[in-house]
Amino acid sequence: MSFSTDIAKLVADQLSRFVTLNPHQLAGQVENLDFWLGQVRHALAVIDGYGVRFVRLHAAQERYVAVHRVTASVVDPAGATERPPPPVRRTSDRELRHARRALVEATTRFLERCRAVGLVADSVATAALAEFAE
């Protein structure tokens, strides 16, 4: 897991919980619909921007290692040797796609539930669903 996938999961889990609420409880969350949709937008932007941020992070670490001649001890059958540290691990595209898809699905279920119980107008739900459609 990475920050990008963790934040998406956190928002998706919260929206999934909302779907199970009683209508009067759901009404309280709908009152903050702009906030929750903003959280969805933010989490999607974090996922969508991951690749660019990772390239910068990786390049900065590689530059630092080269300039400061950073090494890490590696112990193998031949003994201990000093080598450059391994590069940072990238979150896989598969993990990012899965987190994005789960967030969009949770958002869709939340909006559909709100529309079904009459807490969100059709036009509002339709616009939001179109915005988050994959």
Side-chain angles (χ1 to χ4, degrees), residues 67-86:
V67 168
H68 297 280
R69 297 180 187 177
V70 175
T71 60
S73 294
V74 177
V75 179
D76 57 26
T81 58
E82 294 293 318
R83 298 183 193 160

Side-chain angles (χ1 to χ4, degrees), residues 52-97:
V52 171
R53 288 190 316 278
F54 181 82
V55 167
R56 289 193 318 244
L57 172 123
H58 183 264
Q61 287 184 358
E62 292 294 314
R63 273 193 314 274
Y64 187 92
V65 166
V67 168
H68 297 280
R69 297 180 187 177
V70 175
T71 60
S73 294
V74 177
V75 179
D76 57 26
T81 58
E82 294 293 318
R83 298 183 193 160
V88 64
R89 184 185 82 80
R90 186 186 195 293
T91 301
S92 73
D93 289 339
R94 186 183 140 280
E95 288 176 87
L96 294 168
R97 280 192 311 271

Side-chain angles (χ1 to χ4, degrees), residues 4-126:
S4 300
T5 56
D6 287 350
I7 193 170
K9 182 177 182 339
L10 182 66
V11 176
D13 287 351
Q14 190 65 36
L15 296 178
S16 294
R17 189 178 74 76
F18 292 164
V19 171
T20 68
L21 296 176
N22 294 313
H24 71 282
Q25 295 168 313
L26 187 59
Q29 299 305 328
V30 170
E31 194 62 28
N32 294 308
L33 185 61
D34 288 343
F35 170 79
W36 290 112
L37 295 181
Q39 294 303 304
V40 172
R41 286 182 197 99
H42 174 70
L44 291 173
V46 168
I47 290 170
D48 294 345
Y50 177 82
V52 171
R53 288 190 316 278
F54 181 82
V55 167
R56 289 193 318 244
L57 172 123
H58 183 264
Q61 287 184 358
E62 292 294 314
R63 273 193 314 274
Y64 187 92
V65 166
V67 168
H68 297 280
R69 297 180 187 177
V70 175
T71 60
S73 294
V74 177
V75 179
D76 57 26
T81 58
E82 294 293 318
R83 298 183 193 160
V88 64
R89 184 185 82 80
R90 186 186 195 293
T91 301
S92 73
D93 289 339
R94 186 183 140 280
E95 288 176 87
L96 294 168
R97 280 192 311 271
H98 175 75
R100 190 178 213 295
R101 185 172 37 258
L103 177 57
V104 169
E105 288 172 1
T107 303
T108 299
R109 286 190 306 274
F110 172 61
L111 289 166
E112 291 293 358
R113 172 80 197 293
C114 292
R115 178 171 30 200
V117 296
L119 295 172
V120 172
D122 281 341
S123 60
V124 172
T126 300

